């Protein structure tokens, strides 16, 4: 059994998950890992597992391993969702994000709830508050109306994904520190750094 805990033990727990998963994969193969492991995200508040790290550091591999658990959904880089939808980027299912049965439903519902039906506002909002160059001014930015709207957007996005997909935790491989800052502002985030 692998337990992922909140608070001060989150990073250590993440490391234990990685060590345990890689050891089991080496010994039993992927099917053995998922058959033997019970991943518990402690507390109902942990709805996002945020995987931070450099490019090519294994974030996608970890997300794919976690996605094998029926209670977990690997969503990819959620920070890129809105821009991918706007520019015709592809989903892993092969469809454009805007036409994917999962993401089109998520985008429509979150847009209706938070953005008055205009999904293009989400990317413009992200560019105003959640860019790496804004990290230095984060404390002042975090008090703005845009920041409150962005945190609300993050909360709605996770809730809608969980409801539509039927999972209890979403793996977000957005990687960057600025995205982790905003994810933690939205609450319910378990960070794992690779």
């Amino acid at each position: 059994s692998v337990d992922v805990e909140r608070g001060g033990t989150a990073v250590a727990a993440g490391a234990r998950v990685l060590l345990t998963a890689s050891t089991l994969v080496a010994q039993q193969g992927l099917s053995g890992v998922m058959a033997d492991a019970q991943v518990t995200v402690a507390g109902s508040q942990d709805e996002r597992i945020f995987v931070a790290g450099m490019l090519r550091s294994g974030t996608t591999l970890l997300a794919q391993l976690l996605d094998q658990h029926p209670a977990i959904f690997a969503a990819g880089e959620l920070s890129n969702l809105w821009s991918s939808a706007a520019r015709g980027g592809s989903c892993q299912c092969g469809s454009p994000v805007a036409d994917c049965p999962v993401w089109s439903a998520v985008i429509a519902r979150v847009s209706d709830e938070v953005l008055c039906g205009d999904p293009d506002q989400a990317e413009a909002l992200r560019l105003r508050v959640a860019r790496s160059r804004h990290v230095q001014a984060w404390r002042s930015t975090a008090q703005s109306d845009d920041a409150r709207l962005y945190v609300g957007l993050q909360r709605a996005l996770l809730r809608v994904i969980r409801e539509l997909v039927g999972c209890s935790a979403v793996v977000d491989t957005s990687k960057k520190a600025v995205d982790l800052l905003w994810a933690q502002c939205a609450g319910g985030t378990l960070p794992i750094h690779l």
Side-chain angles (χ1 to χ4, degrees):
S1 174
V2 178
D3 291 316
V4 179
E5 315 228 308
R6 284 195 90 214
T9 60
V11 173
R16 191 172 77 232
V17 167
L18 290 175
L19 178 62
T20 304
S22 62
T23 303
L24 286 171
V25 167
Q27 293 173 353
Q28 302 172 5
L30 182 58
S31 60
V33 172
M34 299 325 290
D36 294 343
Q38 275 190 333
V39 178
T40 303
V41 180
S44 61
Q45 296 295 335
D46 287 331
E47 54 191 33
R48 180 191 327 232
I49 301 169
F50 189 98
V51 183
M54 298 298 293
L55 296 173
R56 310 277 186 237
S57 64
T59 56
T60 301
L61 177 60
L62 177 59
Q64 289 173 344
L65 285 169
L66 293 172
D67 191 49
Q68 299 302 304
H69 194 280
I72 296 176
F73 175 70
E77 296 183 29
L78 286 177
S79 63
N80 294 334
L81 174 64
W82 304 99
S83 64
S84 291
R87 64 176 163 67
S90 294
C91 173
Q92 290 181 354
C93 73
S95 300
V97 171
D99 296 334
C100 169
V102 172
W103 294 120
S104 63
V106 168
I107 289 168
R109 193 157 145 204
V110 172
S111 296
D112 287 347
E113 288 181 18
V114 181
L115 304 169
C116 301
D118 184 6
D120 294 335
Q121 281 188 35
E123 180 60 7
L125 180 63
R126 185 189 71 79
L127 292 173
R128 286 195 303 272
V129 299
R131 296 183 74 177
S132 294
R133 66 180 173 195
H134 297 142
V135 171
Q136 294 293 339
W138 181 78
R139 288 191 192 280
S140 61
T141 305
Q143 303 305 315
S144 71
D145 289 339
D146 279 348
R148 283 189 283 281
L149 182 59
Y150 192 68
V151 168
L153 180 72
Q154 292 286 314
R155 288 179 180 149
L157 180 62
L158 287 192
R159 181 181 45 74
V160 168
I161 292 170
R162 291 174 67 211
E163 288 171 5
L164 291 178
V165 173
C167 64
S168 54
V170 175
V171 179
D172 178 357
T173 56
S174 291
K175 296 177 186 64
K176 293 182 266 175
V178 68
D179 295 320
L180 176 58
L181 276 172
W182 288 107
Q184 289 183 313
C185 285
T189 299
L190 174 76
I192 297 175
H193 183 265
L194 298 181

